[in-house]
Amino acid sequence: MALMHEPTAPYHSAQDALRVLETVARHSTGVTDTELTRHTGLEPERLAALLRMLRREGYVEQVTDGAYVTGAALSRLGSAHHREQALREKIQLTLDRLRDSVGAAVYISRYVDGEVRVTQYADGPATPAVNEWVDFRCSAHATAVGKSLLTQLDHNGRRDHLSRHKMARLTSRTITSDKLLLSRLESQPPTVPVLDLQEYAIGTVCAAVPITAGSSVGCLALSLPVEHAHRLRQAADRLNRGAAPVLLSLAI
């Protein structure tokens, strides 16, 4: 299955953060920001922003002389023992932080073995999760999550998915024409969030952004009650800006 995605800003941020992290890891006694600038070739302002993110995520720590060393979160993820559990816990912490930042329920989804899978999410009393009244695996045509994942496949991959899952009308806004859906998926810019404006469920709006690394297709998504629809695009932009730590966790 060929992929059609282009690298997005969070992908580039995660790649740059990996370069910084690898440089820090090579200097077991610590490395200063001046040395990091020289070794990575990153602009000082760019480096400072990446270091703030890496410190917040626990991947690097700053010691008394101002130098940077690897942090506890990197040690946990770098260990083969219990890595899967450590990764799940790390991503959950990041999703919880994103939920509070964007003021919405937040989800991470992957396209695995030809199916849409929501693997983790963060919700709360003020940010309720979507009621999965129709299995997400069968409703990719109607959800922001599903459409974001499908945009990252090639044309044949999209047609294969739609051939296995009937495009049922879930609300009056649901697209049920495969020709129309495929046209919209093909014209979707990779840097623009995919929206679901009450296509899956009346009373709920959603947005999703890609978090694709290598050959693995994934996305981050959020949902809001329709009365908060005016916040959707701003929340989606904030979600996109916060996607780099998730990509970084997956890449380590």
Side-chain angles (χ1 to χ4, degrees):
M1 175 181 63
L3 307 181
M4 298 295 288
H5 62 273
E6 298 174 24
T8 56
Y11 173 84
H12 290 301
S13 292
Q15 290 297 102
D16 287 346
L18 271 178
R19 282 164 59 196
V20 174
L21 206 47
E22 287 164 356
T23 304
V24 173
R26 286 199 303 270
H27 295 76
S28 57
T29 58
V31 58
T32 66
D33 49 5
T34 303
E35 291 169 326
L36 282 168
T37 299
R38 187 171 69 251
H39 286 300
T40 62
L42 295 167
E43 294 292 329
E45 189 175 331
R46 172 71 166 164
L47 176 64
L50 292 169
L51 285 170
R52 282 195 298 272
M53 185 262 280
L54 289 169
R55 288 180 68 186
R56 186 183 68 237
E57 298 295 323
Y59 291 129
V60 302
E61 297 172 2
Q62 197 168 20
V63 290
T64 50
D65 62 355
Y68 292 90
V69 296
T70 55
L74 182 64
S75 300
R76 285 194 293 272
L77 281 184
S79 169
H81 201 49
H82 301 312
R83 172 180 158 71
E84 190 173 325
Q85 180 182 343
L87 177 61
R88 189 170 185 82
E89 290 172 354
K90 187 74 186 74
I91 287 177
Q92 191 62 49
L93 286 172
T94 305
L95 293 181
D96 290 347
R97 190 184 298 123
L98 279 171
R99 173 201 60 205
D100 297 340
S101 172
V102 304
V106 177
Y107 315 76
I108 184 170
S109 182
R110 313 300 295 273
Y111 196 73
V112 182
D113 298 329
E115 299 295 349
V116 172
R117 294 186 184 174
V118 175
T119 54
Q120 287 179 251
Y121 67 94
D123 64 350
T127 53
V130 173
N131 173 35
E132 189 180 353
W133 75 284
V134 175
D135 193 322
F136 289 141
R137 291 174 298 179
C138 304
S139 53
H141 64 292
T143 65
V145 160
K147 288 184 286 183
S148 179
L149 295 174
L150 291 176
T151 61
Q152 299 172 64
L153 308 181
D154 64 8
H155 184 75
N156 290 336
R158 294 168 190 158
R159 291 205 71 92
D160 171 72
H161 184 92
L162 296 178
S163 72
R164 293 182 286 108
H165 296 288
K166 179 177 170 57
M167 294 174 60
R169 185 176 299 281
L170 306 183
T171 78
S172 62
R173 295 172 176 263
T174 307
I175 296 173
T176 56
S177 161
D178 58 351
K179 184 177 180 180
L180 177 58
L181 180 66
L182 287 168
S183 174
R184 291 196 179 178
L185 293 176
E186 284 163 10
S187 62
Q188 173 73 29
T191 55
V192 177
V194 178
L195 304 181
D196 157 18
L197 303 176
Q198 302 188 86
E199 295 169 55
Y200 174 76
I202 295 298
T204 302
V205 294
C206 306
V209 296
I211 53 162
T212 305
S215 61
S216 176
V217 171
C219 72
L220 274 178
L222 64 85
S223 65
L224 287 167
V226 70
E227 55 265 30
H228 293 285
H230 61 283
R231 293 203 295 115
L232 184 62
R233 289 189 183 275
Q234 182 182 31
D237 289 340
R238 185 170 291 180
L239 184 72
N240 195 35
R241 291 196 299 271
V246 179
L247 270 168
L248 184 59
S249 297
L250 295 171
I252 291 174

